Amino acid sequence: VDPPFINWTSTTEMDLSWIAPPSMGAHVLEFVVKVRGGTKFRTFDDCPGWRVPWKDAKDKAERDIAAAESKRTELEDFIRKNRHLGMKATRAARRELKYGESSERKRQLMHGIALSLSGAAAQRANADETEPQLYEMSACISGLEPGMAYQACVAAVNRVGMGEFSIPTVSEMTETSVPDSIEEAPELTGVTQDSITIKWDAPRGNGSQIEYFEVRYAPAETMDAWEAATRREQESQDSLDKAFDSDICKSLRSEIDLAAKRLRSKDVVQFKDVRQPSEGDLAVVQAVVYLLVHHDVAASGDTAAGAITAGADPDLASLEGAD
């Protein structure tokens, strides 16, 4: 296999591309990708390898090429339509387009190596006595460590066995991220009348040096109350999320959207632009509050919906006292 190219890296992933080698009489079934780097894989022998079927690697390469072409066309159209706004308005799009051009140059270089005298395409042409045909492959390797340098190599496998691994790629750094969480509680090592001493194991910095630690403390009863309040807040948020996802609230939103279309009023469609809400707007808010409070939508949206359909439809006069 010709040397692969690294398309991009994230905090824990690396995307590779390579040209498939000649089959030598037996169709290539899969590829084995190995990486070297980080604290887990000091050498290629330490890496068990990722097995990528031929079809998966080929399909991913085709999807990536199509997506890159579509993105390039989209960016060029955006720049052309907004060029009258000046360079500042299209700066981000031009930067992204330039990055895409850099990736395309990598692909062209990869194809050039394959078409050289010692490349895979030339070997295939000599073996099959046909015109060189390139089969571009791609795979995304996950489970890497943030802020670490990695290299990768690829080998092809057919029914006879596995071929030799390619020359490793140029080293690429994965992106840095926030430090790992401190999983174990700090250990209390000393106590005086007005101080305590604690120690803990420093987490991994994930590619960036840890600058400082933030330590929070409070009396035990205060900490218990704080934890209880945090739990209640999370439970309230969960109940509210459940309420807005309930059938009754979905039905109310549909009715409000329909009423807004009928009224053709911007004040109803865009509530954020309303400076003085109308009586109709207040009535809708009061109805929602009534349903949430008196019909316990947060606990069971379906039950509340059943109560409303059963005939408990409040008129606006009965909702005037709702806060």
Side-chain angles (χ1 to χ4, degrees):
V1 180
D2 293 327
F5 279 77
I6 299 177
N7 301 320
W8 52 263
T9 59
S10 65
T11 54
T12 59
E13 294 180 331
M14 173 192 295
D15 193 83
L16 297 170
S17 291
W18 66 92
I19 301 297
S23 60
M24 296 301 180
H27 180 65
V28 176
L29 301 175
E30 63 180 5
F31 299 91
V32 177
V33 181
K34 284 192 173 186
V35 298
R36 175 175 62 189
T39 59
K40 297 179 182 178
F41 311 124
R42 296 293 185 182
T43 65
F44 285 118
D45 294 335
D46 296 335
C47 179
W50 284 263
R51 294 187 173 272
V52 185
W54 167 283
K55 186 177 185 305
D56 293 350
K58 190 171 184 298
D59 290 348
K60 182 181 182 304
E62 291 175 352
R63 290 195 305 270
D64 291 348
I65 294 171
E69 180 64 25
S70 175
K71 188 65 177 178
R72 184 182 65 83
T73 303
E74 179 184 344
L75 290 172
E76 289 176 347
D77 290 344
F78 176 83
I79 294 172
R80 184 174 62 256
K81 292 177 181 178
N82 295 277
R83 62 179 181 270
H84 63 283
L85 299 177
M87 300 288 286
K88 188 175 181 180
T90 59
R91 182 180 301 166
R94 286 184 286 105
R95 186 185 299 116
E96 193 171 353
L97 185 62
K98 187 175 181 180
Y99 176 80
E101 292 173 350
S102 174
S103 300
E104 181 60 26
R105 283 195 295 271
K106 280 186 179 181
R107 289 188 62 245
Q108 292 175 0
L109 178 59
M110 182 173 63
H111 285 226
I113 293 175
L115 290 170
S116 64
L117 294 178
S118 60
Q123 293 179 24
R124 184 182 297 108
N126 294 333
D128 302 338
E129 296 182 356
T130 59
E131 291 295 325
Q133 185 174 7
L134 301 183
Y135 296 96
E136 188 169 335
M137 303 289 161
S138 181
C140 184
I141 306 304
S142 59
L144 307 181
E145 300 173 78
M148 295 289 183
Y150 283 95
Q151 289 179 295
C153 60
V154 183
V157 180
N158 61 14
R159 59 181 175 82
V160 179
M162 183 170 66
E164 295 183 1
F165 279 93
S166 67
I167 298 174
T169 62
V170 178
S171 294
E172 289 278 353
M173 294 283 294
T174 52
E175 297 180 0
T176 58
S177 68
V178 297
D180 291 345
S181 60
I182 302 176
E183 298 180 356
E184 297 183 0
E187 179 183 352
L188 185 63
T189 59
V191 179
T192 66
Q193 291 183 345
D194 57 357
S195 68
I196 60 173
T197 303
I198 59 175
K199 71 174 185 178
W200 63 89
D201 294 329
R204 188 173 56 187
N206 290 334
S208 180
Q209 183 178 359
I210 297 176
E211 298 179 358
Y212 62 91
F213 294 92
E214 182 176 339
V215 180
R216 296 182 179 182
Y217 63 93
E221 60 274 11
T222 305
M223 185 62 71
D224 293 341
W226 177 78
E227 292 179 351
T230 303
R231 284 196 300 271
R232 288 196 299 270
E233 182 180 0
Q234 184 60 44
E235 291 171 358
S236 300
Q237 183 62 43
D238 294 342
S239 299
L240 188 59
D241 293 340
K242 185 178 179 181
F244 281 108
D245 289 336
S246 63
D247 293 339
I248 187 65
C249 280
K250 290 179 181 178
S251 176
L252 282 173
R253 285 197 292 269
S254 299
E255 293 180 7
I256 291 173
D257 292 341
L258 181 60
K261 291 178 181 178
R262 290 177 178 175
L263 292 175
R264 301 177 181 273
S265 170
K266 292 183 178 180
D267 290 346
V268 179
V269 177
Q270 301 178 2
F271 288 98
K272 62 182 181 181
D273 295 335
V274 180
R275 295 188 178 182
Q276 184 64 35
S278 64
E279 293 183 1
D281 298 335
L282 293 176
V284 170
V285 175
Q286 290 172 349
V288 173
V289 172
Y290 179 89
L291 290 170
L292 290 175
V293 174
H294 296 282
H295 291 276
D296 197 16
V297 177
S300 173
D302 295 334
T303 305
I308 293 299
T309 22
D313 187 10
D315 57 4
L316 294 179
S318 64
L319 300 177
E320 290 296 328
D323 274 326

